[in-house]
Amino acid sequence: MDLEGMTAAIGKAVRTARLAQGWNLDHLAERAGVSRRMLVQVEQGQSNPTIASLLALSDALGFGLPQLMAVTNEPNLAVTRNRHAPVLWQGHSGGHARLVAGTAPPNVVELWDWTLEPGDSYDGGPHTPGTRELIQVREGAVRLTVGDHTEILNTGDSASFTGTLPHTYAWSQPDNEQTSAPITARFTLVVLEPVLREPAGKEPEGP
């Protein structure tokens, strides 16, 4: 699915989930902490939402990002073929982030495949309380910043950290690399978001 098709699919999924709760636009926007204008643009497929916005909306709806993006149909077995894994972030230098698997509430787990090209960087805002993230670098190197602490993770290195702090993943030249040629960084990321809140009582349905 191309970016335009993905944007339209996201908008349809958000609108369907909102109407299933009987919520109007103002109620979901307030609950998710986003503007009504942005929500309208998302639902109409006019805006490519950020990962942070998608997380806020899916959390507010009470089912988490994997279920919103239809990469899980638990409880037995959910398979996401490589060509169907949604790309939810694209870097200015060509990197991208794909949500490849996930679980449904109450304990939501997200499995991501990230690629960073030289110059690429992603800033992640604080997640909901209790969120943990785990990262393992598979190729190249990543400069990981969590709060005020920064570490360079080389191929094979891993880390875990609290997702309630601001954090950044950025491309880095590997330590002790003999060649000057830039190496694409690729890493696996797991996000655990425990016990999403249940949706509140229904509001009168609106536009």
Side-chain angles (χ1 to χ4, degrees):
M1 183 182 296
D2 60 18
L3 184 59
E4 183 177 350
M6 177 60 64
T7 301
I10 290 171
K12 182 178 179 180
V14 171
R15 177 176 171 81
T16 298
R18 175 177 64 80
L19 293 178
Q21 294 292 338
W23 294 347
N24 58 33
L25 288 163
D26 291 327
H27 183 73
L28 177 55
E30 181 180 358
R31 190 174 167 84
V34 301
S35 71
R36 187 182 193 276
R37 179 180 179 182
M38 189 275 283
L39 178 56
V40 170
Q41 291 177 335
V42 169
E43 290 196 357
Q44 294 180 351
Q46 299 174 349
S47 172
N48 184 27
T50 64
I51 293 177
S53 296
L54 288 174
L55 286 169
L57 289 169
S58 60
D59 287 356
L61 289 163
F63 49 62
L65 189 56
Q67 198 164 336
L68 176 65
M69 302 308 303
V71 295
T72 178
N73 57 354
E74 289 191 295
N76 296 320
L77 173 66
V79 175
T80 303
R81 301 299 178 188
N82 182 56
R83 65 184 181 277
H84 293 152
V87 176
L88 299 183
W89 174 82
Q90 292 182 318
H92 295 298
S93 300
H96 60 269
R98 301 164 67 239
L99 180 61
V100 297
T103 64
N107 297 309
V108 175
V109 179
E110 304 162 10
L111 178 63
W112 294 80
D113 179 15
W114 281 76
T115 298
L116 299 174
E117 297 294 345
D120 277 336
S121 177
Y122 173 78
D123 293 323
H127 295 306
T128 55
T131 298
R132 296 287 300 179
E133 299 198 20
L134 299 91
I135 176 176
Q136 184 185 38
V137 178
R138 292 150 55 195
E139 297 176 23
V142 174
R143 185 173 72 251
L144 173 65
T145 301
V146 180
D148 297 326
H149 190 87
T150 297
E151 292 282 351
I152 302 298
L153 304 180
N154 293 283
T155 302
D157 291 346
S158 59
S160 64
F161 59 93
T162 175
T164 57
L165 293 173
H167 46 280
T168 300
Y169 321 113
W171 179 89
S172 177
Q173 187 74 7
D175 289 344
N176 302 318
E177 184 60 43
Q178 299 301 314
T179 177
S180 60
I183 299 175
T184 298
R186 188 171 185 182
F187 63 94
T188 297
L189 179 71
V190 175
V191 181
L192 169 63
E193 189 176 11
V195 193
L196 281 180
R197 59 182 176 175
E198 292 295 325
K202 292 190 175 183
E203 295 286 325
E205 186 172 325

